[in-house]
Amino acid sequence: SQQGEEDPQALSIQEGENATMNCSYKTSINNLQWYRQNSGRGLVHLILIRSNEREKHSGRLRVTLDTSKKSSSLLITASRAADTASYFCATDAMEYGNKLVFGAGTILRVKS
Amino acid sequence: NAGVMQNPRHLVRRRGQEARLRCSPMKGHSHVYWYRQLPEEGLKFMVYLQKENIIDESGMPKERFSAEFPKEGPSILRIQQVVRGDSAAYFCASSPRQNEKLFFGSGTQLSVL
């Protein structure tokens, strides 16, 4: 299985609700990043959280990191239809050498 | 400052032909990454380059695939003698520092007939 695995695979919510996506990984990391991808487009960087950080905020986004559980969560508050996209976590880990390893992603659908 | 530019956006090749995918990183970025994505899947790492050097090519098949990032000009991902299984979206990304905040291009959708 992959270094980063997102959960759930798919999430459907109503506009205005909060969306929480989780990412689990296997090895010690230098940093963990979250990206968004709209259909047919390239990925857009959202947040980077370092291994010595526990929480970061950016607008309506909140990312937490629990290195003891090797997991991270991405919370999108007050979701909008425009938040509909796939969300990926990516880890930078010594064990995986020089590459940023992406998970399979969570497909988020926000219904208006 | 223009973003990461990839071309062509779509590329159609017949089996056995060569595919050349180009990527111009953001200005000032010396780190370039190539990823491959199949429908409904995540990105699979292929190769990481810095100017004129291949740093990590562990995700790239040993045969038919090659990548370069010359001192002048774009990074090129080259696939020789394409097969149907090569059909995928190929994304290039660049960053100012290794493995931090990658900026992605819009990708090249390769279709092999």
Side-chain angles (χ1 to χ4, degrees), chain A residues 52-100:
Chain A
N52 61 351
E53 298 175 308
R54 292 296 167 259
E55 188 171 311
K56 282 189 95 167
H57 296 255
S58 176
R60 292 184 297 112
L61 306 181
R62 173 178 165 244
V63 168
T64 60
L65 179 64
D66 187 334
T67 52
S68 66
K69 294 181 180 177
K70 292 188 169 57
S71 68
S72 172
S73 67
L74 170 66
L75 169 66
I76 304 174
T77 60
S79 63
R80 305 166 182 168
D83 294 328
T84 295
S86 294
Y87 292 81
F88 297 91
C89 69
T91 52
D92 173 21
M94 289 277 284
E95 184 164 330
Y96 287 85
N98 297 291
K99 49 186 170 287
L100 198 61

Side-chain angles (χ1 to χ4, degrees), chain A residues 2 31 33 35 37 40-45 48 50 88 92-93 96-105 107, chain B residues 9 33 35 37 40-45 48 55-56 58-59 91 97-107:
Chain A
Q2 299 187 85
N31 68 64
Q33 303 175 40
Y35 289 80
Q37 183 181 35
R41 308 297 297 272
L43 276 70
V44 174
H45 182 270
L48 180 154
R50 299 190 189 280
F88 297 91
D92 173 21
Y96 287 85
N98 297 291
K99 49 186 170 287
L100 198 61
V101 178
F102 285 81
I107 299 171
Chain B
R9 187 81 172 88
Y33 313 79
Y35 286 84
Q37 186 178 37
E40 309 298 326
E41 292 188 10
L43 275 71
K44 295 288 189 273
F45 171 83
Y48 161 42
I55 307 302
D56 186 334
S58 58
F91 289 95
R97 286 173 296 281
Q98 181 181 344
N99 288 344
E100 290 202 3
K101 192 173 182 179
L102 272 58
F103 292 79
F104 279 84
S106 296

Side-chain angles (χ1 to χ4, degrees), chain B residues 5 24 26 37 39 49 52 57 61 72 79 84 92 99 108:
Chain B
M5 304 300 291
S24 295
M26 286 184 69
Q37 186 178 37
L49 311 101
E52 300 183 87
E57 56 182 347
E72 302 290 337
I79 311 172
R84 289 223 171 103
C92 167
N99 288 344
T108 293

